[in-house]
Amino acid sequence: MNGTLRNIAAGLAMATAMASAHANLIVNGGFEQGLSGWTCSDADYCATESSGKPGKALVGFDNTGYTSLSQDVATVAGGIYELRFDSKANFLRGNEIGYSFKGFSDVTWVPITLDYTQSSGSFTATGKLTRVAFFLATDLNSGTFFIDNVSLERTGTAVPEPGALALLGLGLAGLAAAGRRRRA
């Protein structure tokens, strides 16, 4: 009986460790190190500066079409990931902010607000590398956009990993063996 309790405790400890392993996969999501880790393309202006919050945020301005801000992130095929970020614009009219995991053909547009608002979205990775991209646009003289506190965490797996199945099998085998010993 004592060994069974130890096995259960070890399994719970392992499950707790796996659950706390969620970490932000985005490099420099608060833009405290400028644009380090990010690629900003097709922008008239793309930099970081204070924006009414502690620390820095991405600030961009574009009058020539869409600007993209992207980062390639290591992912696991079948892993489920959640993206979170804060965004705002100087003007409601003429500004667009969206994000995508598959390029411009699959953009999710977020509501434009004058105060920071958190947005989120999730996806299932299809390979070892996923490009997290933001698409931003302003009309001529309509203002700037801000993005801050970008995070990407793995929240689950679409298909159980072999290690998780093996752990489950060992746990069930241990419970079955403990039950047999108790009857004998």
Side-chain angles (χ1 to χ4, degrees):
M1 182 80 154
N2 207 6
T4 302
L5 288 176
R6 246 182 284 142
N7 288 343
I8 291 172
L12 287 173
M14 188 176 251
T16 302
M18 287 170 52
S20 64
H22 296 279
N24 187 3
L25 301 173
I26 294 289
V27 174
N28 190 27
F31 301 97
E32 300 305 320
Q33 287 83 42
L35 293 174
S36 176
W38 294 95
T39 300
C40 189
S41 305
D42 303 320
D44 293 336
Y45 175 76
C46 197
T48 59
E49 59 186 54
S50 298
S51 62
K53 295 176 77 167
K56 294 184 177 181
L58 168 85
V59 179
F61 178 76
D62 182 52
N63 284 319
T64 59
Y66 288 97
T67 295
S68 67
L69 176 75
S70 62
Q71 188 172 127
D72 291 333
V73 180
T75 54
V76 175
I80 300 171
Y81 296 83
E82 182 169 10
L83 173 73
R84 289 192 178 116
F85 64 95
D86 298 335
S87 65
K88 74 172 187 169
N90 275 352
F91 296 98
L92 296 178
R93 178 192 55 77
N95 288 294
E96 294 181 284
I97 299 174
Y99 63 90
S100 176
F101 312 109
K102 297 179 182 176
F104 191 70
S105 63
D106 190 35
V107 176
T108 300
W109 299 103
V110 300
I112 298 299
T113 61
L114 300 177
D115 295 315
Y116 275 105
T117 302
Q118 187 178 76
S119 298
S120 64
S122 62
F123 69 97
T124 301
T126 57
K128 295 179 180 180
L129 198 64
T130 299
R131 176 164 288 167
V132 175
F134 293 96
F135 295 93
L136 315 139
T138 62
D139 286 343
L140 186 60
N141 298 319
S142 69
T144 56
F145 46 78
F146 301 85
I147 295 179
D148 200 4
N149 300 322
V150 181
S151 69
L152 180 70
E153 295 183 0
R154 184 172 176 189
T155 58
T157 304
V159 178
E161 295 178 5
L165 291 175
L167 183 62
L168 176 63
L170 285 173
L172 292 174
L175 288 174
R180 280 191 224 132
R181 281 190 207 143
R182 204 175 311 143
R183 286 187 200 144

